[in-house]
Amino acid sequence: MEEMYSESQKSEPDSTPEPKIIGLTGGIGSGKTTVAKFIEDCGFPVYYSDDRAKDIVNDNEDLKVRIKELLGSDSYDENGLYNRKFVAEQVFNNKDLLQSLNEIIHPAVRLDFEDWVKKQTKYLIFKETALLFELQLNKQCYRSILVTAEDNIRIKRVMDRDGKTYREVQSVMEKQMPEKEKTKLADCIIYNNTNLDDLKDQTEKTIFDIE
């Protein structure tokens, strides 16, 4: 990520200190969104990268044109809204196409995030993103937090939440970075294998242990 503050800005005595960016990630069914809500309950702002991307692909006309050029006019429905189901089907088994799509969307999300950062006043701010390690975004963060859980627990959660079959969820998980690789890269790990009270306690301890 490009420098968001110049040296002259940092040296001004009345300038706002640069906040520490904490990356928050987790695979499908891990519970990272729930952790993000707990973080907000603690008074810290969270930037939801995945949600913002959903808005940006609908609001940014340049992105619309480029996505249609890449995937065809069916990328957007008759109301001009991003056709997530169609797009997912096109890129699910095509790594090259997925990479090309990411190269269109992710720079726009990065710029949106940088604008968001400039408006924050807390000393810790959090960036929630599914691809923190895959895109090496953790290198741009002060610390990284991984929310994880046992595979069978994650699969059941998604099956209950989305009505997907065991195999459908497993297929998605197989395309994500393995949990054992993520745990090696994460600075902090929250294990979401039990209940919400335990998850909340772990979240609060992790946040306030960050210096």
Side-chain angles (χ1 to χ4, degrees):
M1 180 167 60
E2 294 89 0
E3 279 292 326
M4 292 176 288
Y5 304 90
S6 67
E7 290 301 318
S8 61
Q9 285 176 306
K10 291 179 182 178
S11 63
E12 291 176 2
D14 59 345
S15 63
T16 302
E18 184 176 351
K20 294 176 179 177
I21 300 170
I22 312 301
L24 174 66
T25 194
I28 186 171
S30 66
K32 70 176 168 59
T33 302
T34 302
V35 168
K37 298 302 181 185
F38 287 150
I39 290 170
E40 289 182 315
D41 289 343
C42 291
F44 296 101
V46 178
Y47 179 89
Y48 292 89
S49 300
D50 304 330
D51 288 345
R52 282 301 298 147
K54 293 175 185 176
D55 293 334
I56 290 169
V57 294
N58 281 315
D59 298 338
N60 189 310
E61 293 300 323
D62 177 59
L63 256 62
K64 284 187 177 183
V65 171
R66 295 174 63 191
I67 291 171
K68 287 180 181 179
E69 289 176 347
L70 178 68
L71 300 174
S73 60
D74 287 340
S75 303
Y76 287 80
D77 63 22
E78 62 275 9
N79 297 314
L81 297 177
Y82 191 63
N83 188 340
R84 293 182 59 81
K85 183 175 185 298
F86 172 82
V87 172
E89 289 172 350
Q90 303 310 302
V91 304
F92 190 70
N93 289 308
N94 190 322
K95 290 184 178 180
D96 292 338
L97 208 55
L98 176 60
Q99 181 176 341
S100 296
L101 179 64
N102 286 340
E103 288 172 354
I104 293 172
I105 296 175
H106 290 156
V109 176
R110 174 178 55 79
L111 291 174
D112 185 72
F113 173 69
E114 290 176 2
D115 288 340
W116 179 85
V117 168
K118 294 173 184 177
K119 300 172 185 175
Q120 305 310 310
T121 57
K122 295 289 186 178
Y123 70 98
L124 291 182
I125 61 176
F126 292 77
K127 182 177 186 178
E128 180 262 8
T129 174
L131 300 176
L132 184 73
F133 299 124
E134 289 87 338
L135 298 178
Q136 299 186 346
L137 299 175
N138 56 307
K139 294 182 179 179
Q140 303 163 4
C141 299
Y142 177 71
R143 292 286 188 273
S144 61
I145 299 174
L146 170 67
V147 184
T148 188
E150 295 174 4
D151 286 356
N152 285 341
I153 293 176
R154 293 169 57 203
I155 291 172
K156 185 177 186 306
R157 284 176 185 153
V158 180
M159 289 173 64
D160 293 342
R161 182 189 70 195
D162 299 341
K164 294 183 179 294
T165 67
Y166 186 97
R167 182 56 197 154
E168 284 174 335
V169 182
Q170 192 177 50
S171 180
V172 173
M173 289 173 59
E174 287 172 353
K175 293 184 180 300
Q176 296 182 336
M177 180 183 287
E179 292 296 288
K180 63 181 180 181
E181 291 185 28
K182 292 180 182 178
T183 56
K184 292 177 182 178
L185 295 169
D187 296 309
C188 311
I189 302 175
I190 294 174
Y191 294 95
N192 184 17
N193 291 316
T194 54
N195 55 60
L196 287 177
D197 287 338
D198 178 62
L199 184 63
K200 185 175 182 179
D201 289 343
Q202 286 189 69
T203 300
E204 292 176 354
K205 183 179 187 305
T206 299
I207 293 172
F208 293 108
D209 279 349
I210 295 174
E211 297 181 356

